[in-house]
Amino acid sequence: MDKYDILKKYFGYTGFRKGQEFLVDSILAGRDVLGIMPTGAGKSLCYQVPALLLPGVTVVVSPLISLMKDQVQALNQAGVHAAYINSSLSEGQIAKALSFAANGRYKIIYVAPERLETPGFLSFAEKAELSLLTVDEAHCISQWGQDFRPSYLKIVQFIKRLAKRPVVGAFTATATGRVKEDIACVLGLVSPQVLVTGFDRENLYFGVEYPAKKDTYVMDYVLGHSGESGIIYCATRKNVEAVHAMLSVSGINATKYHAGLDNETRRQNQEDFMYDKCPVMVATNAFGMGIDKSNIRYVIHYNMPQGMENYYQEAGRAGRDGVASECILLYSAQDAVLLRYMMENKEPNVEFTAEEALAVAERDMERLRAMEGYCKTKNCLREYILDYFGEYGSGRCGNCSNCKKEFEETDVTEAAVKVVECVRQMRGRYGLRVVAGTLSGENTAKLKEYRVSEYPAFASLKEWPQGELRELIGQMLLEGYLDQTKDKYALLGETKKARGLFLGECRLIFKRCKKDSAGDGRKGAAVDKRSRSDILNSRGLTLFDLLRQLRMEIAREESVPPYIIFSDKTLLELCVRLPFNGEEMQKVAGIGENKYARYGERFLGAINDFTGGKREKLYFGDEGEALPAALRGHHGGKPVGKTWYNML
């Protein structure tokens, strides 16, 4: 079999997505690779397809037990023999799995990084033929990544101990330029083939909202998305408990996840969410890394996350099947205060040296300021995200809360000059709040103690509301007229660019949201809500629900999550294509030979019963259109975003 046979037989696709084939071919040619692809772009196929073609065993290093379990379960459902090795297994089970792998029964073994040093695994690695070593969530190896794990450094030592070095592949969804370079350097990748497919997720709507009452917003949103699967992230355990209690009292089938719960409760709650027994999960960021649930339709952040990498990874758990989904962040100024307090008071990691701890602390503060910038910007949110990761978008995506609002633009260059003058007079001694308070002429005890009234700039912008002054300073930081120190104090200073304001070489435009367009953001989000209703007509929606019920029935029989049977996107395509036989059904993306053999007849029976065996059109659009645009992907859909090859 070749790579296309593998892709169709086991995974049900007739073609690769953007970038996948390049990485597959590189691995098969014996080249190390570094793949940076957004969540839902199909990173796993890039090493799973070669693993089934290479002669030996593929070892996948993965950070979380839940991730390994999901991946192995999905592979076995597709007809691929795979196993995982971690602390959830007994030593006897581990020995048996390694024996099977050494004898060729398992082609893919998932393993935690800590396991690489154990005598049993080292003995297996020395005897077995390791063709490929894959490092998943590779950003964990970088001190500049959002989830640096010293245990990942064990991978480097493991590779050095092998008599024959395998091909090494590294994959991650979020990596800045610095992290990308760090991954390649620390892992010791040899002349790697590097692919960055672009960070844009077109199917995701991004929104930042400023509700007066977050609880009311969350309640209204969840009720408005009844029956859909979603995650609500909170910064603290206390908030998780409060939001979960609020939803549960109102009859919403929600569960919760945080580090304060015992292991068995966390496991059961996660399973209830994955199996759609509880479609809503309220959690801290302890939940979700590596979660492969494809039908999450929304992710709400009740509090601002610690950084853009964290946010994009957590928000990216929505819409992994490519169907339109929403990512909403509820912002309040108190969020930043809380996060700074948590960062300053968190217990030091005993695995870090003093130098590492200092570097991580500075990096965290730098990322927090970028996250605040996202919450405060009036420009396109998607553009802000792409710019952070080193990409450039169109400037206006049309599918975020800022693009859906109308703003009034005001030239505030004179005010900006006064801000710079104040910062100059203070000689970099103070942060944003003190500068804003000085400009507005505040008379608080703190400012009196600092004797700010003695500065000539005191009260020079007293006509500006305090909130708008802070927004103005925030915009000047974003546009490079001011900068901040990288420590926890974030002291303000001017940049060379500020000189242009004084010379009249540049103007600063301040955006104020028009009152009649502000709303609560959900009107804009509703444009992309429930995309299946934009694809399927009323008959099609009825069939979709019937197929979803059948999927749930089979999932309960086999004790697997429903999305592992078929994704929502596959069910949508079944409603559009209306297959009446096996040949037609296997043209649907996501239905390979093994899945058709296991489930095909039952789904064909449901479709035949519903239609009476008569062809009918259950979707909107032209009759001649083979597939609505929202469902294109592995069928030769138009590539989106920019792809970089070998740019390290």
Side-chain angles (χ1 to χ4, degrees), residues 541-554:
L541 290 171
T542 301
L543 176 59
F544 180 87
D545 286 337
L546 287 172
L547 296 182
R548 190 164 63 168
Q549 290 170 20
L550 174 58
R551 180 179 66 178
M552 177 63 79
E553 181 183 319
I554 296 173

Side-chain angles (χ1 to χ4, degrees), residues 154-440:
K154 301 179 190 300
I155 301 170
V156 180
Q157 299 305 316
F158 175 73
I159 294 172
K160 290 179 178 178
R161 294 184 67 161
L162 296 175
K164 180 183 178 183
R165 184 184 185 276
V167 175
V168 179
F171 296 87
T172 183
T174 52
T176 60
R178 176 182 278 177
V179 173
K180 180 176 68 173
E181 293 173 1
D182 222 14
I183 292 170
C185 179
V186 177
L187 267 180
L189 300 182
V190 179
S191 301
Q193 295 278 58
V194 181
L195 174 88
V196 182
T197 61
F199 291 92
D200 194 9
R201 296 277 305 282
E202 277 203 331
N203 64 309
L204 299 184
Y205 167 91
F206 292 98
V208 175
E209 307 299 338
Y210 310 84
K213 296 181 179 179
K214 290 186 178 182
D215 287 351
T216 301
Y217 185 101
V218 169
M219 180 64 72
D220 290 347
Y221 189 99
V222 174
L223 289 173
H225 291 70
S226 177
E228 294 185 348
S229 186
I231 304 174
I232 302 168
Y233 279 110
C234 301
T236 65
R237 301 177 190 178
K238 181 180 178 181
N239 282 350
V240 168
E241 292 288 349
V243 173
H244 175 260
M246 173 190 71
L247 295 176
S248 298
V249 166
S250 300
I252 294 169
N253 201 7
T255 188
K256 60 186 177 182
Y257 191 106
H258 59 71
L261 301 174
D262 62 80
N263 290 338
E264 177 56 27
T265 300
R266 287 201 304 270
R267 186 200 64 77
Q268 185 60 56
N269 290 356
Q270 177 169 307
E271 190 170 289
D272 288 347
F273 176 68
M274 299 297 284
Y275 284 70
D276 285 340
K277 294 176 183 176
C278 292
V280 180
M281 168 64 79
V282 187
T284 61
N285 62 6
F287 173 79
M289 188 173 181
I291 289 297
D292 202 23
K293 185 173 166 66
S294 65
N295 65 333
I296 297 171
R297 294 278 75 89
Y298 62 87
V299 172
I300 297 174
H301 278 80
Y302 189 86
N303 304 106
M304 182 180 75
Q306 295 180 358
M308 287 301 301
E309 292 96 337
N310 302 74
Y311 177 67
Y312 203 50
Q313 186 176 62
E314 290 161 12
R317 286 163 191 147
R320 290 176 66 100
D321 53 8
V323 177
S325 306
E326 298 177 358
C327 309
I328 311 295
L329 195 162
L330 308 183
Y331 176 75
S332 69
Q334 189 61 29
D335 291 341
V337 176
L338 173 63
L339 285 171
R340 281 197 173 85
Y341 175 82
M342 291 170 66
M343 287 180 181
E344 292 169 11
N345 291 276
K346 71 179 180 181
E347 294 183 10
N349 190 320
V350 294
E351 294 185 78
F352 291 166
T353 65
E355 186 178 351
E356 286 173 340
L358 179 61
V360 168
E362 289 182 355
R363 176 210 67 188
D364 288 346
M365 285 296 174
E366 189 176 334
R367 289 216 310 263
L368 178 58
R369 284 191 285 275
M371 191 71 241
E372 285 185 89
Y374 175 81
C375 295
K376 295 176 180 178
T377 184
K378 302 292 197 311
N379 297 323
C380 174
L381 296 175
R382 192 180 307 275
E383 181 81 6
Y384 188 100
I385 293 170
L386 295 179
D387 182 66
Y388 180 84
F389 289 110
E391 286 188 39
Y392 301 96
S394 62
R396 184 176 177 82
C397 72
N399 194 29
C400 75
S401 57
N402 283 353
C403 284
K404 291 182 181 296
K405 293 175 183 174
E406 291 185 47
F407 293 96
E408 296 174 328
E409 295 187 347
T410 306
D411 189 324
V412 294
T413 306
E414 290 184 13
V417 167
K418 292 180 180 179
V419 172
V420 176
E421 287 176 339
C422 183
V423 171
R424 279 183 181 175
Q425 292 164 20
M426 292 181 158
R427 298 182 181 179
R429 293 192 184 98
Y430 302 108
L432 188 152
R433 289 179 179 273
V434 173
V435 171
T438 301
L439 288 163
S440 63

Side-chain angles (χ1 to χ4, degrees), residues 72 88 91 141 317 342 429 436 483 523 555 615 635:
V72 169
S88 70
E91 288 303 317
I141 205 168
R317 286 163 191 147
M342 291 170 66
R429 293 192 184 98
D483 61 15
K523 291 181 180 178
R615 185 76 59 186
H635 298 275

